[in-house]
Amino acid sequence: MADQYVQLQWVEPGIALLTITREKSLNALNSEVLDQLEASLNVVEDSPEARVVIVTGQGQKAFVAGADIAAINQAPDLEHAHHFAERGQKLFHRFQTSRVLSIAAINGYALGGGMELALALDMRIAAESARLGQPEINLGIIPGFGGTQRLARLVGSGRALWMIASGEPVLAGDALTMGLVDGVVPLDSLMEECLRRARILAKQAPLALVESKRMVVGSRDWEVRTGLDAEAEAFARMVVSKDGREGTRAFLEKRAPEFRGD
Ligand code: DAK
C-alpha cells in the first residue's frame, strides 16, 4: 500500500485542513506527495460547502523543506526534469485558481518547493520560528515550481533575485516586513490564528468570496483596464444576486444578513 503523505481533515463545516505528513524528510515534495495533495484538493473542491483550505506540515520543524532532492537528482533527462517542474506548477496553479481560498500555516522551514507552495496559496501565516527561502542555487539549480515568477511579483524583483541568487533564507519577522507573509505568531498559536482568519472568510457571502479571490488573483496577470472591466462585471452580478440583495437589505433593516450562496 502506498504511504499516506497527506491528511485531509474537515476542521469545521467549510474549513479543510491539509497536513503534509512526510515528517522524516521534513515534508519534502516527491511525486507521491504531489499526487496526494492533488487528490485531496479534488475532494475539497468536490464539497459544495468548502470555503477555505489551510495547508500545513506535520511536526514543529518544517512546513515543507523543498522538492525532494533525491527525486531531483535522479531525474534521468531533460524531459523528466521538465515534467517534474510542470507537475508541481500545474498543481500549485490549481490552488491559485481554485474557488476555495487557501492559507499556508507555515510551521517551520518553507524552503524551495515548500516556499513555492506557500507562494501559490492565497495567504501566508508563519510561526515566529519559521524560515523561508529559495536555496536551490546551493544545489546548482533554480526554483522550478513557479518561485521565480510569484516571488518577484510579491516582493519586487530586487528582493526576489537576492533570495533566489544568494540562496539565503529569511526569518519570519523579516518575511513579514517584506510582504512575503501576511502574519507572524508564536508557533503554538499558529493554527488558532489560521482558523480565526478562515472562520471570518467562511462566513462571508459565498459568491462574493469567490469573486473577491478571482479578481485579486487575476490582477497579477491582467492589464489594469482588463481588471477594471472584470471587476465592474462581477460587481454588477453581485449587486443583483440574492445574497447581494439580502446583504444590502439587512443593513438597511439593521439586522444580520443571511447569505445562502446564490
Ligand atoms: N528533499 C529530500 N530530503 C530532505 C529535504 C529535501 N528537500 N530536506 C530535508 N530532507 C531530509 C534530510 O535528507 C534528512 O533525511 P535523513 O538523513 O534523516 O534520512 C531529514 O530530512 C532531516 O533533515 P536534516 O538532517 O538535514 O535536518 P537539519 O535540521 O540538519 O537541517 C534543513 C534542516 C532544512 C536546513 C536541511 O534539511 C536542508 O537544507 N534541506 C534542504 C533544503 C533545500 O535545499 N530545499 C530546496 C530543495 S530544491 C525543478 C522543480 C522543482 C524545484 C527545482 C527544479 N525542476 C524539475 C526544474 C525545486 C527545488 C527544490 O525545492
XYZ file of all heavy atoms in Angstrom, residues 4-10 16-21 32-47 50 52-55 87 91 94-95 98-100:
332
model
N 0.900 7.104 3.176
C -0.044 8.223 3.276
C 0.760 9.471 3.633
O 1.323 9.556 4.722
C -1.049 7.891 4.392
C -2.051 8.975 4.696
C -3.232 8.933 3.750
O -3.566 7.858 3.256
N -3.831 10.070 3.486
N 0.846 10.412 2.700
C 1.671 11.598 2.937
C 0.865 12.880 3.116
O 1.441 13.929 3.394
C 2.635 11.810 1.762
C 3.765 10.804 1.700
C 4.177 10.279 0.472
C 4.437 10.410 2.852
C 5.225 9.384 0.400
C 5.479 9.510 2.791
C 5.872 8.998 1.558
O 6.920 8.118 1.489
N -0.443 12.782 2.881
C -1.283 13.977 3.057
C -2.533 13.569 3.818
O -3.188 12.582 3.461
C -1.671 14.604 1.699
C -2.610 15.791 1.907
C -0.440 15.060 0.934
N -2.821 14.327 4.857
C -4.015 14.037 5.654
C -5.027 15.172 5.451
O -4.655 16.338 5.547
C -3.580 14.000 7.117
C -4.595 13.438 8.062
C -4.041 13.509 9.473
O -3.766 14.591 9.998
N -3.839 12.365 10.083
N -6.252 14.787 5.161
C -7.322 15.778 4.990
C -8.288 15.679 6.159
O -8.793 14.598 6.460
C -8.072 15.512 3.671
C -9.430 16.196 3.485
C -9.323 17.713 3.510
C -10.083 15.760 2.172
N -8.508 16.818 6.837
C -9.497 16.849 7.916
C -10.440 18.023 7.669
O -9.980 19.095 7.245
C -8.828 17.156 9.265
C -7.976 16.078 9.852
C -7.136 16.684 10.981
O -6.022 17.133 10.739
N -7.685 16.736 12.184
N -11.705 17.802 7.951
C -12.641 18.931 7.952
C -12.657 19.453 9.378
O -13.166 18.798 10.277
C -14.038 18.485 7.501
C -14.033 18.170 6.043
C -13.908 16.933 5.487
C -14.104 19.094 4.963
N -13.893 17.025 4.111
C -14.026 18.345 3.759
C -14.223 20.483 4.869
C -14.061 18.952 2.497
C -14.264 21.074 3.617
C -14.186 20.315 2.454
N -11.278 23.142 5.560
C -10.497 21.903 5.479
C -9.050 22.174 5.892
O -8.539 23.280 5.702
C -10.524 21.373 4.043
N -8.430 21.156 6.462
C -7.010 21.247 6.823
C -6.267 20.139 6.094
O -6.596 18.956 6.238
C -6.849 21.080 8.343
C -5.409 20.986 8.865
C -4.647 22.288 8.615
C -5.407 20.672 10.368
N -5.268 20.522 5.278
C -4.408 19.532 4.612
C -3.060 19.542 5.316
O -2.388 20.578 5.360
C -4.181 19.896 3.144
C -5.363 19.861 2.187
C -4.876 20.068 0.748
C -6.094 18.545 2.293
N -2.672 18.397 5.867
C -1.376 18.304 6.543
C -0.474 17.378 5.743
O -0.846 16.233 5.459
C -1.549 17.750 7.977
O -2.535 18.532 8.648
C -0.233 17.818 8.750
N 0.705 17.878 5.389
C 1.688 17.034 4.698
C 2.439 16.259 5.775
O 3.002 16.860 6.703
C 2.641 17.898 3.839
C 1.795 18.661 2.800
C 3.710 17.034 3.155
C 2.546 19.702 2.021
N 2.382 14.935 5.693
C 2.826 14.103 6.822
C 4.059 13.278 6.470
O 4.160 12.119 6.829
C 1.682 13.159 7.273
O 1.316 12.343 6.144
C 0.479 13.910 7.759
N 4.670 11.340 -4.997
C 3.520 10.833 -4.232
C 2.855 11.963 -3.453
O 1.632 12.053 -3.391
C 3.946 9.733 -3.241
C 4.247 8.400 -3.884
C 5.738 8.227 -4.123
O 6.412 9.235 -4.456
O 6.228 7.102 -3.991
N 3.683 12.832 -2.828
C 3.090 13.941 -2.059
C 2.294 14.842 -3.013
O 1.162 15.242 -2.705
C 4.173 14.762 -1.318
C 3.523 15.902 -0.531
C 4.999 13.885 -0.393
N 2.873 15.134 -4.183
C 2.169 15.992 -5.148
C 0.848 15.339 -5.568
O -0.202 15.989 -5.613
C 3.043 16.264 -6.377
C 4.320 17.086 -6.146
C 5.100 17.242 -7.454
C 4.019 18.468 -5.574
N 0.888 14.019 -5.853
C -0.341 13.306 -6.254
C -1.394 13.372 -5.152
O -2.574 13.600 -5.407
C -0.038 11.822 -6.538
C 0.706 11.642 -7.851
O 0.759 12.600 -8.640
O 1.251 10.536 -8.067
N -0.933 13.149 -3.905
C -1.899 13.115 -2.805
C -2.436 14.512 -2.475
O -3.592 14.657 -2.077
C -1.266 12.454 -1.578
C -0.999 10.962 -1.813
C -0.336 10.272 -0.629
O -0.458 10.683 0.515
N 0.374 9.190 -0.915
N -1.596 15.524 -2.672
C -2.105 16.893 -2.480
C -3.187 17.186 -3.511
O -4.228 17.763 -3.196
C -0.969 17.908 -2.661
C -0.166 18.304 -1.424
C 0.994 19.205 -1.828
C -1.039 19.012 -0.385
N -2.948 16.748 -4.747
C -3.933 16.992 -5.807
C -5.230 16.242 -5.516
O -6.325 16.805 -5.648
C -3.367 16.569 -7.164
C -4.363 16.811 -8.272
C -3.719 16.890 -9.647
O -2.695 16.225 -9.860
O -4.264 17.609 -10.492
N -5.097 14.977 -5.095
C -6.305 14.185 -4.789
C -7.083 14.845 -3.650
O -8.324 14.905 -3.674
C -5.904 12.753 -4.426
N -6.372 15.358 -2.653
C -7.052 15.991 -1.512
C -7.730 17.287 -1.947
O -8.847 17.596 -1.513
C -6.060 16.297 -0.390
O -5.458 15.117 0.051
N -7.062 18.041 -2.816
C -7.688 19.271 -3.311
C -8.958 18.937 -4.102
O -9.971 19.634 -3.992
C -6.696 20.068 -4.171
C -7.228 21.379 -4.763
C -7.674 22.351 -3.674
C -6.171 22.057 -5.641
N -8.922 17.832 -4.862
C -10.128 17.400 -5.594
C -11.281 17.150 -4.632
O -12.411 17.561 -4.875
C -9.851 16.122 -6.385
C -8.942 16.374 -7.572
O -8.800 17.507 -8.017
N -8.309 15.317 -8.066
N -10.975 16.454 -3.519
C -12.031 16.144 -2.538
C -12.585 17.447 -1.960
O -13.802 17.632 -1.843
C -11.486 15.237 -1.400
C -12.529 15.057 -0.299
C -11.038 13.894 -1.946
N -11.686 18.359 -1.608
C -12.136 19.636 -1.031
C -13.029 20.371 -2.033
O -14.128 20.830 -1.691
C -10.916 20.525 -0.636
C -11.356 21.927 -0.248
C -10.128 19.873 0.498
N -12.580 20.435 -3.281
C -13.354 21.192 -4.279
C -14.682 20.519 -4.611
O -15.630 21.198 -5.007
C -12.529 21.375 -5.552
C -11.424 22.380 -5.344
C -10.812 22.828 -6.658
O -10.524 21.954 -7.489
O -10.621 24.040 -6.829
N -14.733 19.197 -4.444
C -15.984 18.490 -4.722
C -17.042 18.755 -3.652
O -18.197 18.394 -3.827
C -15.736 16.974 -4.824
C -15.121 16.613 -6.172
O -15.119 17.486 -7.073
O -14.630 15.476 -6.309
N -16.619 19.327 -2.529
C -17.590 19.639 -1.482
C -18.138 21.042 -1.713
O -17.404 22.029 -1.632
C -16.914 19.572 -0.110
O -17.717 20.278 0.813
N -17.241 23.761 0.829
C -15.857 24.170 1.106
C -15.630 25.643 0.799
O -15.984 26.125 -0.275
C -14.901 23.310 0.293
N -12.600 27.405 2.645
C -11.194 27.712 2.924
C -10.440 26.413 3.170
O -10.960 25.502 3.825
C -11.060 28.604 4.194
C -9.593 28.970 4.437
C -11.908 29.862 4.086
N -9.219 26.335 2.633
C -8.354 25.194 2.953
C -7.064 25.742 3.573
O -6.475 26.694 3.064
C -8.092 24.305 1.707
C -7.430 25.064 0.578
C -7.240 23.106 2.077
N -6.691 25.151 4.703
C -5.435 25.515 5.371
C -4.442 24.400 5.051
O -4.782 23.222 5.146
C -5.644 25.630 6.898
C -6.685 26.706 7.220
C -4.320 25.926 7.612
C -7.147 26.727 8.674
N -3.239 24.777 4.640
C -2.217 23.766 4.320
C -1.062 23.932 5.300
O -0.580 25.055 5.521
C -1.701 23.932 2.866
C -0.650 22.875 2.537
C -2.863 23.845 1.869
N 4.615 19.396 -13.388
C 3.701 18.691 -12.477
C 3.411 19.576 -11.252
O 2.266 19.791 -10.868
C 4.393 17.376 -12.081
C 3.759 16.519 -11.067
C 2.747 15.597 -11.712
N 1.905 14.981 -10.689
C 0.967 15.629 -10.021
N 0.720 16.902 -10.263
N 0.245 15.005 -9.106
N -0.126 21.777 -10.288
C -0.830 21.616 -9.010
C -0.927 22.952 -8.275
O -2.000 23.326 -7.771
C -0.097 20.583 -8.135
C -0.594 20.474 -6.704
C -2.054 20.011 -6.661
C 0.282 19.500 -5.906
N -3.462 25.132 -9.636
C -4.822 24.727 -9.254
C -5.224 25.335 -7.913
O -6.364 25.740 -7.718
C -4.927 23.205 -9.196
C -5.098 22.616 -10.583
C -5.882 21.320 -10.528
N -7.093 21.426 -9.757
C -7.636 20.413 -9.073
N -7.074 19.231 -9.080
N -8.744 20.568 -8.388
N -4.295 25.377 -6.956
C -4.607 26.043 -5.677
C -4.903 27.517 -5.937
O -5.844 28.084 -5.395
C -3.431 25.920 -4.702
C -3.429 24.640 -3.903
C -2.598 23.584 -4.256
C -4.260 24.492 -2.806
C -2.596 22.396 -3.521
C -4.260 23.311 -2.058
C -3.424 22.259 -2.415
N -8.308 27.894 -7.643
C -9.449 27.211 -7.024
C -10.454 28.228 -6.497
O -10.079 29.308 -6.045
C -8.942 26.348 -5.859
O -10.036 25.826 -5.138
N -11.739 27.866 -6.515
C -12.725 28.766 -5.909
C -12.554 28.799 -4.383
O -13.030 29.704 -3.701
C -14.158 28.313 -6.249
C -14.540 27.030 -5.586
C -15.970 26.569 -5.842
N -16.103 25.188 -5.424
C -16.256 24.794 -4.189
N -16.338 25.663 -3.212
N -16.342 23.507 -3.887
N -11.870 27.780 -3.820
C -11.657 27.705 -2.365
C -10.429 28.557 -2.018
O -9.389 28.446 -2.670
C -11.426 26.236 -1.950
C -11.176 26.129 -0.456
C -12.627 25.383 -2.357
